[in-house]
Amino acid sequence: MKKLFSWNALLTLGIAILLAKPFLSLVDWALVDAVWRPDPKACRAAHGACWGFVAEKYRFILFGTYPYEEQWRPALASFLLVALWVFSALRMAWRRWLAAVWLAGLALIALLMWGGILGLPYVTHERWGGLALTLILSSFGLALAFPLSLALALARRSALPVLRWIAVGYIELVRGVPLISLLFMASVMLPLFLPSGMSIDKLLRAQLALVLFAAAYLAEVVRGGLQAIPRAQYEIADALGLSYAQKTLYVVLPQALRVAVPPLVGTCIGFFKDTSLVVIIGLFDLLSTVKVSLTDPAWTGFGAEAYLFVALIYFAFCFAMSRYAATLEVRPSGAA
């Protein structure tokens, strides 16, 4: 054991020595020699990172082309969305009234983003962009897709053949095509099937495609959790005289969802990042606004700093989701 410990200590020390120089070089580039003020000439003359690009373009990156004087609205809407997710993560909030809280919160967010009443100027969705659009698409998509995924997973395991075939056909069809195809269909093909004079908002079409896509993948994750439940659990629920709805809500789903937490979180993280694909239908999310910012001739050549800034934002949200999922796996489902 002592010999093994010594070898592990030596290996750790060796790796630390090998990484020390690259780490110190990164610190020098990112902090010591960095330029923090928005001055392109100073950035080109310096040897470090140019965080002045972020200082100059952060409003466009976070809020897109939303009117400058009204950008407090998407900032507040983003804060409310994050607050809703944090509040929903608290076990004390796992009550029936949580759905009402979400409805009220989403209505307030829609009011802030669109405006048009209560003295707020109306802003079309074409002006939305950046982090606010990414959070809206991912939050609305997951919030609407999750109930649909539960219904699809239960339908796929149903004893009714027609219901099971419909669920299987939908899940396999959606999972068999890339998200880009669904977004393209929603943006270009769907309007062709609508009656003359009728149109659906582009943002709504994109959101619908994202919901249908996420529901299919989440349904398979939930189905895996349902299959992991021992048959005895179903038999005990039947012996107690529980109805199908009671057995599903109080016995089966709580256990299945806890088993499915790791893949559920992985799917949600992937979906959060997949929202960047909406650029193909003319919506500019967080990643797209960075690409547009780099087209400014004065700031050409500072892509590393721009993408590192966005990577840190994505990492913060994804890491928070993964750590929360880890706490759900460790703590018992009935713990306070």
Side-chain angles (χ1 to χ4, degrees), residues 98-222:
L98 182 60
V101 172
W102 266 93
L103 289 176
L106 295 180
L108 181 57
I109 290 168
L111 171 64
L112 286 171
M113 294 301 296
W114 265 297
I117 59 175
L118 300 179
L120 297 175
Y122 177 74
V123 179
T124 62
H125 73 268
E126 285 84 1
R127 304 293 300 274
W128 300 8
L131 178 62
L133 181 62
T134 296
L135 291 176
I136 288 173
L137 290 174
S138 57
S139 297
F140 276 78
L142 291 173
L144 297 176
F146 190 69
L148 179 59
S149 69
L150 294 179
L152 287 170
L154 294 172
R156 184 159 187 172
R157 290 177 54 83
S158 174
L160 302 175
V162 176
L163 190 61
R164 185 172 64 253
W165 294 339
I166 293 175
V168 170
Y170 168 80
I171 292 173
E172 297 303 328
L173 177 64
V174 173
R175 294 178 74 240
V177 297
L179 177 57
I180 292 179
S181 300
L182 294 178
L183 290 171
F184 180 79
M185 290 287 292
S187 177
V188 179
M189 301 300 295
L190 180 60
L192 301 178
F193 296 95
L194 298 177
S196 179
M198 180 181 177
S199 63
I200 300 178
D201 184 84
K202 180 171 64 174
L203 179 62
L204 182 60
R205 297 199 302 268
Q207 188 69 82
L208 179 62
L210 290 172
V211 168
L212 296 177
F213 178 81
Y217 279 85
L218 291 173
E220 284 297 272
V221 175
V222 174

Side-chain angles (χ1 to χ4, degrees), residues 188-319:
V188 179
M189 301 300 295
L190 180 60
L192 301 178
F193 296 95
L194 298 177
S196 179
M198 180 181 177
S199 63
I200 300 178
D201 184 84
K202 180 171 64 174
L203 179 62
L204 182 60
R205 297 199 302 268
Q207 188 69 82
L208 179 62
L210 290 172
V211 168
L212 296 177
F213 178 81
Y217 279 85
L218 291 173
E220 284 297 272
V221 175
V222 174
R223 184 172 71 92
L226 292 173
Q227 290 180 332
I229 304 302
R231 185 64 188 173
Q233 295 292 321
Y234 295 89
E235 296 173 352
I236 293 172
D238 293 334
L240 292 173
L242 299 180
S243 64
Y244 176 79
Q246 292 174 325
K247 176 174 64 176
T248 302
L249 291 175
Y250 300 121
V251 178
V252 177
L253 277 182
Q255 299 181 71
L257 292 179
R258 187 185 177 194
V259 172
V261 163
L264 276 175
V265 174
T267 303
C268 291
I269 290 175
F271 180 76
F272 177 71
K273 294 182 290 185
D274 283 344
T275 54
S276 60
L277 295 175
V278 297
V279 66
I280 68 169
I281 59 174
L283 297 175
F284 294 93
D285 71 312
L286 179 60
L287 190 60
S288 302
T289 53
V290 171
K291 295 178 181 178
V292 175
S293 299
L294 290 172
T295 60
D296 188 343
W299 294 102
T300 302
F302 299 107
E305 294 86 344
Y307 287 114
L308 181 59
F309 173 68
V310 174
L312 291 175
I313 296 177
Y314 276 111
F315 173 78
F317 283 99
C318 296
F319 182 74

